[in-house]
Amino acid sequence: MSDPYSSIAAQPSEVTDKLAGVLEMRAAQTEQTHLRDHLLMQKLHGSVLEIGAGTGAITRAIAALPSVTEVTGLDPSAAFLDAARANAGPKEIYVEGYSTSLPVADASADAVVLWTTLSHIPVEQHAESYAEILRVLKPGGVLHVFDNDLGSWEGRLHERDPLDVPVRAFLDLNADPLALRKIPVALAASGFEVGPYTVHTVVDEAEDTYCRRA
């Protein structure tokens, strides 16, 4: 089984329709909202670019900030973008594209946001994506990265839970479990001045959650 988000532009409608619901559910989770409010929202102003905007859930939240004048949501999925545009406000613009070739002008963004997106971008494309982000950021602009630390994922319900094996196999096949921990060094190598790196643990116990949804 491969990561459907890494090839989202090629996915059939039955897949994108289900994933669209997952994106909206995840964005509405209490833990996600809390992390956005405390780690991201207070730091944004002016023109913002979100890479991997999906159905626009995070882009809409960013656009609601009085300090933000405009926000562009970028995604490779036309289906996701149709859903995002259907709920868009006056400060939102949605464009189709990839992180490796951003259809955005040089030095045009005060901030770029990668919210649970980087882990779905193939590792071999990270350096090219960072270079593109540097190109579109204004002098003094900031890249904000929030993602899953796959190396610390724990899905076992008990010590000998047999489901742990396929979960680990899926992660090993589709992602670098240590990718998030390598970000500071990779960003510095790409020319960024790296800020604080923090890890926040979330325990998912809700009945209606994207982790348990069929």
Side-chain angles (χ1 to χ4, degrees), residues 191-209:
F192 285 88
E193 180 179 338
V194 180
Y197 172 85
T198 58
V199 176
H200 300 264
T201 301
V202 174
V203 179
D204 188 358
E205 297 179 322
E207 288 297 325
D208 187 17
T209 170

Side-chain angles (χ1 to χ4, degrees), residues 50-66:
E50 186 196 3
I51 298 174
T55 54
I58 308 303
T59 305
R60 292 195 301 273
I62 294 172
L65 296 173

Side-chain angles (χ1 to χ4, degrees), residues 36-122:
R36 286 201 307 272
D37 289 346
H38 287 268
L39 299 177
L40 178 64
M41 295 306 186
Q42 300 174 18
K43 302 175 182 178
L44 299 178
H45 68 277
S47 178
V48 179
L49 168 66
E50 186 196 3
I51 298 174
T55 54
I58 308 303
T59 305
R60 292 195 301 273
I62 294 172
L65 296 173
S67 58
V68 171
T69 56
E70 63 177 4
V71 54
T72 299
L74 177 95
D75 203 273
S77 169
F80 282 172
L81 292 174
D82 285 344
R85 292 182 183 117
N87 296 299
K91 293 196 290 185
E92 298 161 55
I93 301 170
Y94 292 96
V95 295
E96 189 172 338
Y98 292 85
S99 61
T100 53
S101 181
L102 298 173
V104 180
D106 294 359
S108 59
D110 292 291
V112 174
V113 175
L114 285 167
W115 190 269
T116 66
T117 295
L118 188 62
S119 59
H120 300 294
I121 298 174

Side-chain angles (χ1 to χ4, degrees), residues 146-185:
F146 177 92
D147 218 312
N148 295 301
D149 181 19
L150 300 179
S152 65
W153 269 24
E154 179 60 75
R156 293 182 299 173
L157 298 178
H158 51 80
E159 184 178 358
R160 299 181 183 278
D161 191 342
L163 290 178
D164 187 52
V165 174
V167 169
R168 293 293 169 188
F170 172 80
L171 293 178
D172 290 343
L173 285 171
N174 292 285
D176 176 1
L178 300 178
L180 197 67
R181 304 179 194 187
K182 297 175 181 177
I183 287 176
V185 173

